[in-house]
Amino acid sequence: MSALTIRVRNAHRQPLADQMDIHVVSARTDSTVARLLRVSGKRDIKVDGLTAGQPYIVKVFATRHRPVGLFAMPLEGKDVLVEVFTPLDPERVNTVNFPDYEAAPAELRRVLERSAIEGTPGSGRPAYEALTDLQRGGLFNLFAKMSTFGFDDARNVWSFVDGIYRVRPDRIFVDVQPALRDLIKGAVAAERVREAPGRLHAPPPGFVSAGSFKTADRYGNLQLSFFASEAAPIAFKVDADIDDAAGLGHTFQVLRNWVTHGMTHPYDIHQILAFRQEVVLPYDLA
């Protein structure tokens, strides 16, 4: 007989500070062969008595995290380590730690100081503090992602944002410099970006659709939908969002029945970006 050692980590790749149930299911018979209840996520769990060379599905159900599962196969005479990563369930987040306005990134404050955001008073600090937690989470996610996609050492997508006029939990609407669209089209040729359907992104009054583009990431893609003004001189607005269509399933192997298909939740995006370790997020979840 053989064994699997199960190690569970959070989106930051740290030991899971949560209680969990672990089910080990035979992939061939769909029968549960081991069930461990209310065990600590901070320690490795060894499951003995498994058949070498047979596939199993390891399912982890943590109290405050999304259920995840993945295939594993024990080997004869050798313990196999199964490393599982699980994101926080947005509905079970206890606290969200946002920076004070003055501690927010300078490039974000630069844009906020000259923005008139729908539903908020003034600009700068008053606008920032008037945003809900979900709006602020969405704003920080997109600021981080847009700041990471660079064109050279000095310029990234966020560099071309002049103002924000609407913030939703899953997207932001911004005024951008015309040069951004040319640079994004150039990135298509470099295969860093691909053209994407933009039919779900309606242009604001006085503007027409001017192309939609999505970064070539495996998951957590940045999508930029451009709108061009009908009147001269030409001006551009952008509807920016982060696509998590494949993120939860591919990044964390979240079990299918627990993946929702409604509005993208900003805390799910936070967990995907945190796991990828490609961006510095200005806020954290607990």
Side-chain angles (χ1 to χ4, degrees), residues 5-9 41 43-45 81-85:
T5 297
I6 301 165
R7 178 176 297 165
V8 184
R9 295 289 184 260
R43 65 183 182 89
D44 293 353
I45 304 298
L81 176 64
V82 181
E83 199 163 34
V84 184
F85 299 93

Side-chain angles (χ1 to χ4, degrees), residues 15-279:
L16 191 71
D18 201 356
Q19 283 195 322
M20 59 187 183
D21 296 345
I22 295 177
H23 298 181
V24 180
V25 179
S26 169
R28 292 189 172 180
T29 65
D30 199 32
S31 60
T32 301
V33 300
R35 182 181 286 111
L36 299 94
L37 305 179
R38 299 188 63 79
V39 295
S40 171
K42 293 184 177 181
R43 65 183 182 89
D44 293 353
I45 304 298
K46 187 174 183 179
V47 180
D48 294 299
L50 304 177
T51 304
Q54 299 296 314
Y56 294 89
I57 306 170
V58 176
K59 299 181 180 181
V60 177
F61 301 87
T63 303
R64 297 182 53 243
H65 293 72
R66 288 189 180 274
V68 294
L70 75 166
F71 285 92
M73 184 177 294
L75 301 176
E76 187 67 45
K78 179 182 178 181
D79 282 0
V80 173
L81 176 64
V82 181
E83 199 163 34
V84 184
F85 299 93
T86 177
L88 269 169
D89 184 334
E91 301 303 321
R92 297 186 177 183
V93 169
N94 288 333
T95 58
V96 187
N97 300 307
F98 291 111
D100 183 71
Y101 180 71
E102 293 302 326
E107 275 298 294
L108 177 59
R109 286 187 281 115
R110 171 188 66 83
V111 174
L112 286 170
E113 292 292 342
R114 53 194 191 195
S115 296
I117 301 175
E118 180 183 276
T120 68
S123 59
R125 178 187 286 274
Y128 176 78
E129 293 180 345
L131 297 174
T132 67
D133 283 356
L134 295 185
Q135 285 178 307
R136 211 177 296 181
L139 174 61
F140 276 130
N141 292 342
L142 279 151
F143 166 76
K145 185 73 177 181
M146 294 166 78
S147 298
T148 302
F149 191 94
F151 302 107
D152 51 41
D153 291 340
R155 300 178 301 171
N156 54 55
V157 171
W158 189 263
S159 306
F160 294 88
V161 176
D162 286 335
I164 307 166
Y165 63 91
R166 184 177 303 134
V167 176
R168 293 180 182 168
D170 62 334
R171 64 190 61 242
I172 61 174
F173 299 82
V174 294
D175 297 305
V176 300
Q177 299 164 27
L180 176 61
R181 185 170 178 274
D182 294 332
L183 287 168
I184 289 293
K185 288 180 74 68
V188 173
E191 298 184 348
R192 299 181 64 208
V193 171
R194 64 179 185 272
E195 294 191 39
R199 57 184 177 274
L200 298 180
H201 304 266
F207 285 75
V208 295
S209 296
S212 190
F213 306 88
K214 184 179 290 190
T215 58
D217 308 88
R218 289 180 60 197
Y219 38 75
N221 314 75
L222 173 66
Q223 182 162 348
L224 303 173
S225 298
F226 286 82
F227 310 113
S229 61
E230 296 179 295
I234 193 167
F236 285 99
K237 295 180 183 291
V238 165
D239 173 352
D241 69 279
I242 297 174
D243 179 18
D244 77 334
L248 289 174
H250 289 177
T251 309
F252 299 106
Q253 290 82 49
V254 171
L255 296 176
R256 184 177 303 173
N257 289 347
W258 279 267
V259 176
T260 59
H261 298 283
M263 185 189 75
T264 300
H265 201 293
Y267 300 165
D268 281 333
I269 296 298
H270 175 282
Q271 295 287 276
I272 292 170
L273 297 179
F275 182 76
R276 293 196 60 172
Q277 299 180 326
E278 66 170 9
V279 302

